[in-house]
């Protein structure tokens, strides 16, 4: 990896419309390290206090950006871990044994997840330092086992809520998706679990039409019609619920959709056990979406070229869109 990709780059729009620096939440899934080890390491790193809202969850407090969360990434296990144990010692012992067995099985199938608070852009280097420390502590990622469908997710705060801005990000992501997916080399286990399914072809054609610039209501309606699911590489449902909760809930009542003013980028694997791996390359690839979205002329030209490529039919088998994209529509210093 060249030196350019070893440094965390910054997006062209670093401030929100209200003035403060944009923030980014980061989520890392792993195993090989248990809840208490992970919590202690992160708490020591940042000087935080550890709270225990459930037997399978930890909350780290004391960061001005918000709380860090460490948990087993299973709704069932977390629910059981929040259930009070019976007062009767024998019943409590039986329940505890059953719970321990369930957690033991869950730890071999589901990851421990570290969820950061929304960090200002100038604090993202802290994530890379944590990754290095977690690797030294024995954390394992996607490549450690065939069943490890573990991801790294970014939640970049939107620069503003204007429909044209949000549409530009969607257009840019759809144009760049094949290139980003190729570079991400997503693990087979994650591809077959549908967590990061590609967008439907009809939706891609609709949004990448250079004339497609709807108002907010139409943008959300079109998305919900084609994508009533969280399982997209770029999940827009948290953002759209933040902007128009009633509209989203009329389509899906998935309790895991948390309203927040962010994009939810889910594509990259978590390869935390691999030497020298960190969030830099995946983050810098995401920034190509940010750059393209911010350059209206280049974005419109890229959309026209992508639509032309899509219309080739079988000719697409002979032409590589990622190669054409890199050649004609990405900055020449992009790896």
């Amino acid at each position: 990896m060249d030196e350019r990709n070893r440094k965390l780059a910054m997006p062209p729009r670093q401030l929100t419309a209200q003035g403060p620096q944009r923030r980014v939440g980061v989520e890392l899934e792993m195993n090989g390290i248990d809840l208490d080890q992970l919590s202690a390491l992160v708490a020591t790193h940042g000087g935080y206090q550890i709270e225990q809202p459930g037997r399978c969850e930890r909350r780290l407090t004391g960061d001005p950006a918000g709380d860090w969360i460490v948990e087993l990434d299973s709704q069932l296990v977390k629910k059981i871990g929040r259930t009070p144990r019976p007062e009767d010692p024998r019943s409590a012992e039986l329940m505890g044994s059953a719970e321990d067995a369930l957690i033991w099985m869950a730890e071999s199938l589901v990851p421990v997840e570290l969820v950061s608070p929304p960090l200002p852009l100038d604090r993202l280097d802290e994530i890379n330092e944590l990754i290095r420390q977690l690797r030294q502590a024995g954390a394992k990622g996607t490549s450690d086992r065939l069943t490890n469908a573990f991801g790294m997710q970014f939640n970049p705060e939107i620069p503003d809520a204007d429909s044209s801005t949000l549409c530009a990000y969607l257009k840019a992501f759809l144009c760049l998706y094949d290139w980003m997916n190729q570079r991400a080399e997503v693990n087979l286990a994650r591809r077959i679990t549908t967590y990061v399914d590609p967008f439907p072809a009809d939706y891609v054609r609709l949004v990448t039409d250079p004339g497609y610039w709807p108002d907010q209501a139409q943008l959300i309606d079109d998305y919900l019609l084609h994508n009533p699911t969280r399982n997209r590489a770029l999940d827009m449902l948290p953002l759209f619920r933040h902007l128009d909760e009633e509209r989203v809930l009329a389509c899906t009542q998935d309790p895991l959709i948390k309203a927040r003013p962010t994009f939810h980028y889910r594509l990259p694997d978590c390869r935390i056990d691999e030497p020298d791996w960190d969030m830099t390359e995946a983050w810098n690839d995401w920034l190509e979406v940010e750059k393209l979205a911010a350059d209206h002329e280049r974005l419109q030209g890229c959309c026209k070229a992508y639509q032309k490529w899509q219309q080739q039919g079988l000719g697409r088998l002979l032409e590589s869109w990622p190669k054409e994209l890199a050649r004609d529509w990405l900055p020449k210093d992009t790896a």
Side-chain angles (χ1 to χ4, degrees):
M1 193 182 299
D2 64 28
E3 182 62 23
R4 183 191 66 84
N5 275 344
R6 293 307 305 165
K7 296 179 180 178
L8 284 169
M10 289 290 111
R13 298 188 64 182
Q14 297 181 32
L15 306 179
T16 68
Q18 292 72 38
Q21 189 176 69
R22 290 172 64 195
R23 300 169 297 170
V24 183
V26 180
E27 304 173 35
L28 294 167
E29 298 172 339
M30 67 198 82
N31 61 17
I33 185 170
D34 66 29
L35 279 171
D36 290 319
Q37 290 174 307
L38 178 52
S39 301
L41 188 152
V42 177
T44 299
H45 175 82
Y48 310 135
Q49 295 76 48
I50 301 176
E51 297 180 357
Q52 188 170 327
R55 292 183 290 278
C56 300
E57 304 164 79
R58 306 291 182 267
R59 180 184 296 114
L60 312 183
T61 63
D63 190 325
D67 295 342
W68 296 71
I69 303 298
V70 178
E71 59 188 13
L72 277 179
D73 191 21
S74 165
Q75 293 301 306
L76 173 61
V77 171
K78 285 188 288 187
K79 182 177 180 180
I80 292 172
R82 294 172 190 155
T83 303
R85 287 182 174 166
E87 293 184 5
D88 176 64
R90 182 173 296 181
S91 298
E93 183 179 355
L94 287 172
M95 181 177 175
S97 297
E99 182 181 305
D100 290 343
L102 177 62
I103 292 173
W104 178 80
M105 288 188 293
E107 285 178 334
S108 66
L109 297 173
V110 302
V112 180
E113 185 173 31
L114 173 64
V115 181
S116 83
L119 298 172
L121 284 166
D122 59 12
R123 288 187 57 188
L124 284 182
D125 279 322
E126 295 179 25
I127 300 294
N128 277 348
E129 178 56 33
L130 276 174
I131 287 171
R132 286 187 280 273
Q133 293 183 22
L134 289 166
R135 180 163 47 244
Q136 292 172 359
K140 302 296 183 182
T142 306
S143 59
D144 183 60
R145 276 187 277 176
L146 289 175
T147 56
N148 283 9
F150 299 165
M152 173 175 62
Q153 303 174 25
F154 301 146
N155 297 286
E157 185 175 15
I158 57 174
D160 67 67
D162 189 271
S163 61
S164 62
T165 298
L166 306 184
C167 187
Y169 271 83
L170 268 170
K171 286 173 177 284
F173 182 81
L174 294 173
C175 285
L176 290 169
Y177 171 77
D178 289 343
W179 175 81
M180 297 173 78
N181 187 45
Q182 188 178 85
R183 286 171 60 83
E185 299 179 327
V186 178
N187 178 273
L188 176 62
R190 293 187 72 227
R191 280 184 275 136
I192 64 176
T193 53
T194 75
Y195 295 148
V196 290
D197 279 352
F199 285 92
D202 287 348
Y203 184 70
V204 174
R205 283 191 291 270
L206 172 69
V207 176
T208 57
D209 185 327
Y212 181 77
W213 293 99
D215 61 19
Q216 179 179 291
Q218 190 63 54
L219 182 69
I220 296 175
D221 283 344
D222 289 340
Y223 186 92
L224 292 172
L225 176 65
H226 294 273
N227 310 282
T229 172
R230 298 169 56 245
N231 294 340
R232 294 288 181 263
L234 181 63
D235 173 18
M236 298 290 284
L237 292 178
L239 171 58
F240 288 157
R241 181 169 182 177
H242 168 77
L243 295 173
D244 193 335
E245 182 169 65
E246 183 177 351
R247 197 172 229 98
V248 173
L249 291 182
C251 177
T252 174
Q253 291 79 45
D254 188 335
L256 297 180
I257 300 170
K258 308 299 184 185
R260 56 194 178 209
T262 69
F263 304 106
H264 186 38
Y265 177 48
R266 299 159 52 94
L267 184 63
D269 289 345
C270 180
R271 300 176 177 175
I272 198 166
D273 53 311
E274 297 182 11
D276 299 324
W277 180 90
D278 59 23
M279 65 175 282
T280 305
E281 185 171 7
W283 171 253
N284 288 354
D285 283 354
W286 163 257
L287 289 190
E288 295 305 325
V289 174
E290 299 255 356
K291 294 173 189 176
L292 185 57
D295 187 340
H296 183 76
E297 183 177 352
R298 182 161 65 99
L299 177 61
Q300 289 290 82
C302 187
C303 283
K304 290 178 183 177
Y306 190 37
Q307 290 256 315
K308 182 179 179 181
W309 180 83
Q310 289 177 302
Q311 293 165 6
Q312 290 185 89
L314 291 176
R316 287 185 297 177
L317 299 176
L318 304 175
E319 298 288 338
S320 166
W321 171 247
K323 287 183 179 179
E324 182 178 336
L325 177 77
R327 183 188 67 225
D328 298 336
W329 300 106
L330 290 179
K332 298 307 179 187
D333 62 345
T334 301

